[in-house]
Amino acid sequence: MSATSGIGVSQELSLQFSSAVDSKSVRFLKVSIQNESIVYDQSIPIEGSLTEDLTKLQDLLQDDVPAYILAKLDDPATDWLAIYYVPDSAKVRDKMLYASTRASLLRNLGSTVFTDSLFATSKADLTPEAYLAHLKHIAAPKPLSAREQEMEDIRLAELSNAPAYEGSRARTSIVGTGVGLNWTTNVENAVAELGQEEGSGIVILTIDPASETLLLSSTSPVTIDTLKSSLPSSEPCYAFFAWPHSHSDPPRREIVFIYSCPAVSPVKHRMLYSSGCTGVFQAAKTLLAHSSSHFSARKVETSDPTELDEAYLRSELSFDTIVASGGNGATTKAPLGDTAKSFAKPRGPARRRP
């Protein structure tokens, strides 16, 4: 921030500006810096609109001498425009002096009445066309950063794909919530068939960002040992993994929902998949409610697909076991999954004889 010059406003300028504000008949006040003071120079009355009266500044200003122009706006009538005219051909000392005195000018005259400001380096910047371009620039939306633009795109996508209100009737489609992802027929069929089949297998889904639609990427008979290599390494995805195991009592075939989002994925894709994750999980839960397999109540999330092995799934799904001693010295194992069992309470120490 540039330093202030310490130059103050003359009493004559304060009176002239106060009179112009009250009379509402003055269009321009020309202000200059003379003898270390901000002084009143000249005034021009209102004849037309501000855009029309701007042509008078061409004769009022000099090509190489800076000046301040206080211009009364048309609407609202009580507001003023501060014009800082500092030509490129002006002396360097004058440029610095006028630049460092701007704040003092507004502060002494009352900054609240100045609702806009305009910087001009030549008379060409003060034509009616230039002023209209200035107003257009002010009204234009502020530029967004790359991340802000991505957030705005996702917000607009959510609004455009939000499901319409359907009254008190329940929706018959299993389309999830979140960002309102659409399920195609082949996606629904692939997930439903996975729940009715036997053995291990996987269904991998991706999102079409343009239409917010789930796409069937692939289906294959993978095992727990080949699971990690079946998921994309650089793009996010949703996966339904059918896993027959004996980590529960009794053994069962588990359908595990996996949300994989590698760290190298584009930011926009990470946000889109993260927003839709819960909706897809809930929709699949409804779809597989009557399947012959057990749909896991826990989601598995990872940012590194290579870590998806049996130990990782056991940990994420709470299939690790606790070993406890029974009252008769025997040991029991209790799984921490959905079918966890209580274990025997250890017997306390023997009572001492007197």
Side-chain angles (χ1 to χ4, degrees), residues 14-246:
S14 297
L15 294 175
Q16 288 287 347
F17 181 69
S18 178
S19 176
V21 171
D22 293 337
S23 67
K24 299 181 181 179
S25 61
V26 176
R27 174 63 74 190
F28 300 116
L29 282 175
K30 182 183 178 184
V31 178
S32 304
I33 299 178
Q34 298 177 11
N35 301 323
E36 302 298 320
S37 180
I38 309 173
V39 300
Y40 164 76
D41 192 338
Q42 189 176 348
S43 63
I44 295 179
I46 295 177
E47 293 185 3
S49 65
L50 173 60
T51 305
E52 296 169 344
D53 289 343
L54 278 172
T55 57
K56 300 178 181 179
L57 295 181
Q58 303 299 314
D59 297 328
L60 182 65
L61 298 172
Q62 301 180 46
D63 293 333
D64 55 357
V65 179
Y68 300 128
I69 301 295
L70 310 181
K72 183 180 175 300
L73 297 176
D74 295 325
D75 185 27
T78 57
D79 291 354
W80 287 70
L81 165 70
I83 300 176
Y84 306 114
Y85 174 68
V86 182
D88 290 332
S89 57
K91 298 178 180 179
V92 175
R93 181 183 181 280
D94 290 343
K95 291 181 179 180
M96 298 177 62
L97 186 61
Y98 275 80
S100 61
T101 310
R102 290 198 307 261
S104 178
L105 172 68
L106 299 185
R107 183 174 62 252
N108 284 274
L109 295 182
S111 58
T112 56
V113 299
F114 294 97
T115 57
D116 192 11
S117 59
L118 180 63
F119 294 85
T121 58
S122 69
K123 293 182 180 181
D125 296 332
L126 297 175
T127 61
E129 295 77 15
Y131 180 65
L132 292 177
H134 167 74
L135 295 179
K136 183 178 180 180
H137 173 73
I138 294 177
K142 298 297 186 293
L144 302 177
S145 65
R147 182 173 180 80
E148 290 173 336
Q149 186 63 55
E150 289 177 354
M151 293 287 290
E152 180 66 13
D153 292 343
I154 292 175
R155 186 186 69 83
L156 294 176
E158 291 177 353
L159 293 176
S160 62
N161 288 280
Y165 177 68
E166 299 183 12
S168 59
R169 294 182 301 170
R171 293 171 59 97
T172 56
S173 172
I174 58 89
V175 174
T177 54
V179 294
L181 297 177
N182 301 306
W183 287 57
T184 59
T185 302
N186 61 340
V187 168
E188 291 189 22
N189 292 340
V191 175
E193 291 173 2
L194 182 70
Q196 300 297 336
E197 295 173 351
E198 298 180 357
S200 60
I202 195 170
V203 171
I204 299 178
L205 308 179
T206 57
I207 300 177
D208 175 21
S211 62
E212 302 285 337
T213 301
L214 285 174
L215 303 178
L216 179 61
S217 177
S218 64
T219 60
S220 55
V222 303
T223 64
I224 186 64
D225 297 325
T226 58
L227 172 62
K228 64 179 69 177
S229 61
S230 64
L231 300 181
S233 60
S234 60
E235 293 289 338
C237 72
Y238 302 130
F240 294 93
F241 175 53
W243 181 32
H245 62 79
S246 58

Side-chain angles (χ1 to χ4, degrees), residues 297-317:
R298 295 174 178 266
K299 299 190 294 287
V300 174
E301 300 185 2
T302 180
S303 59
D304 181 10
T306 61
E307 66 183 357
L308 292 174
D309 55 16
E310 185 170 2
Y312 186 84
L313 260 60
R314 286 179 56 186
S315 174
E316 291 295 302
L317 301 178

